[in-house]
Amino acid sequence: MASDVPMTPELEQIDGEIQDIFRALQNGFQKMDKIKDSSRQAKQLEDLTGKMKECKRLIKEFDRILKDEESKNPPEVNKQLNDRKQYMIKELNSYVTLRKTYQSSLGNNKRVELFDMGAGSSEPTAEDNIQMASAMSNQQLIDSGRNQMDQTDEAIARSKMVVVQTVEIGSQTATTLTQQTEQMKRIGNELDSVHFSLKKASQLVKEIGRQVATDKCIMGLLALIVFGVIAIIIVKIVNPHNKSIPDIPGMAPPAHSFQTNRRLLSTRAFRGL
């Protein structure tokens, strides 16, 4: 099939590589009939399988670029490019079927994984799965189904283990939360006790403060009384003739006043004579 479809340089390069692989596959399968040794035939079939894997990778790359540039191309160009991709897929499937025929003739029951997904590659699409199923025999389909069932059983078993572990972790978490809740209750009770003690201490401090204030008032009053008495004594000593200040009980009059009175009495007695 000649390629007269308008392509970008990148698509043209991939298309050319795919056509080279198709020619190599055609020549390789033509040589299979000329090889008589079964081991050499198996080696030749293995090499052709590697070329088919590379062809499949290039077809995927072609499809990826086609989808990226789909919005830039006119509808008729996109249709031609999609037809070109479908031609490549059909051509590759024909070689896959041919490989299966030679594999059966060699009596090789080992399945050659053409569509083995390498590390870092994407998951197979529905179109790839249809192509794989069309290239497989009934026994291979049965084996593939059993393999898928085994993988599903293993996944279910792993899921059950995860569920059991999750339940155990949940139980442990619930127990831990219960213990922490009880601990928080105890801390709350202790805080209430501390708050009550602080309240009582505050009341006691206020009472002590009132008692200290009362004692200070009493001491101040006593100091005023003492200062007053001392002031009166000093005034009486300094000015004994001041009648506005009564004599303090229990205190004798000043000495000079007593002598003056004695002189007055003596003078009066002398005059009387």
Side-chain angles (χ1 to χ4, degrees):
M1 179 178 177
S3 176
D4 54 355
V5 181
M7 299 181 186
T8 61
E10 189 174 6
L11 289 177
E12 286 182 356
Q13 181 180 356
I14 295 175
D15 182 77
E17 293 177 2
I18 292 173
Q19 297 307 315
D20 292 340
I21 293 176
F22 285 158
R23 285 190 291 268
L25 290 174
Q26 183 178 5
N27 295 331
F29 280 111
Q30 288 177 356
K31 292 180 181 179
M32 284 289 295
D33 296 331
K34 300 178 182 180
I35 299 174
K36 303 301 180 181
D37 187 13
S38 60
S39 60
R40 291 181 59 190
Q41 286 182 345
K43 181 66 171 63
Q44 178 71 8
L45 189 62
E46 184 178 353
D47 293 340
L48 294 174
T49 302
K51 288 182 173 60
M52 285 187 278
K53 288 183 179 180
E54 178 64 16
C55 184
K56 177 180 180 294
R57 186 190 67 80
L58 291 173
I59 291 174
K60 281 191 173 183
E61 183 68 15
F62 186 92
D63 182 61
R64 184 188 65 79
I65 298 174
L66 178 60
K67 290 180 179 178
D68 292 340
E69 298 179 354
E70 187 174 5
S71 59
K72 303 177 184 177
N73 298 328
E76 58 275 7
V77 174
N78 288 329
K79 183 178 183 304
Q80 293 175 356
L81 291 173
N82 282 316
D83 292 340
R84 183 68 177 175
K85 182 188 71 173
Q86 292 300 324
Y87 156 74
M88 295 175 184
I89 294 173
K90 291 178 181 179
E91 189 74 11
L92 178 60
N93 282 338
S94 66
Y95 288 114
V96 171
T97 304
L98 190 59
R99 177 198 60 82
K100 188 172 76 72
T101 302
Y102 279 101
Q103 182 181 355
S104 301
S105 64
L106 289 173
N108 186 7
N109 294 325
K110 181 179 179 182
R111 179 183 173 187
V112 180
E113 296 291 343
L114 171 61
F115 296 98
D116 184 20
M117 304 304 294
S121 61
S122 60
E123 294 295 329
T125 61
E127 183 180 8
D128 293 336
N129 292 331
I130 293 173
Q131 296 170 12
M132 290 172 63
S134 64
M136 294 167 61
S137 63
N138 293 333
Q139 184 61 38
Q140 289 174 334
L141 289 172
I142 293 172
D143 294 339
S144 177
R146 288 177 179 174
N147 188 22
Q148 292 294 330
M149 291 176 64
D150 293 338
Q151 293 178 0
T152 303
D153 292 338
E154 292 176 0
I156 292 173
R158 289 193 298 268
S159 299
K160 288 181 179 179
M161 292 179 61
V162 172
V163 170
V164 171
Q165 293 175 358
T166 304
V167 171
E168 291 178 355
I169 293 172
S171 300
Q172 294 176 359
T173 304
T175 303
T176 303
L177 288 175
T178 302
Q179 294 175 354
Q180 291 179 352
T181 302
E182 293 177 355
Q183 185 177 4
M184 291 297 293
K185 288 182 180 179
R186 290 195 297 270
I187 293 173
N189 294 333
E190 292 176 358
L191 288 176
D192 292 338
S193 300
V194 171
H195 180 70
F196 179 76
S197 300
L198 289 175
K199 187 175 181 180
K200 295 293 291 184
S202 178
Q203 293 177 355
L204 182 60
V205 168
K206 289 181 180 179
E207 292 178 359
I208 293 174
R210 285 196 294 268
Q211 291 178 359
V212 170
T214 303
D215 294 342
K216 287 183 178 180
C217 291
I218 293 174
M219 292 297 294
L221 183 60
L222 290 176
L224 289 175
I225 294 173
V226 171
F227 290 152
V229 172
I230 292 172
I232 292 172
I233 293 173
I234 292 172
V235 171
K236 289 293 290 182
I237 293 174
V238 174
N239 190 6
H241 299 289
N242 189 354
K243 300 300 182 178
S244 61
I245 302 175
D247 294 334
I248 298 174
M251 291 187 61
H256 64 277
S257 298
F258 179 75
Q259 292 177 358
T260 303
N261 291 334
R262 288 184 61 185
R263 283 197 299 269
L264 290 174
L265 289 175
S266 299
T267 304
R268 289 177 182 176
F270 181 78
R271 288 178 179 178
L273 293 175

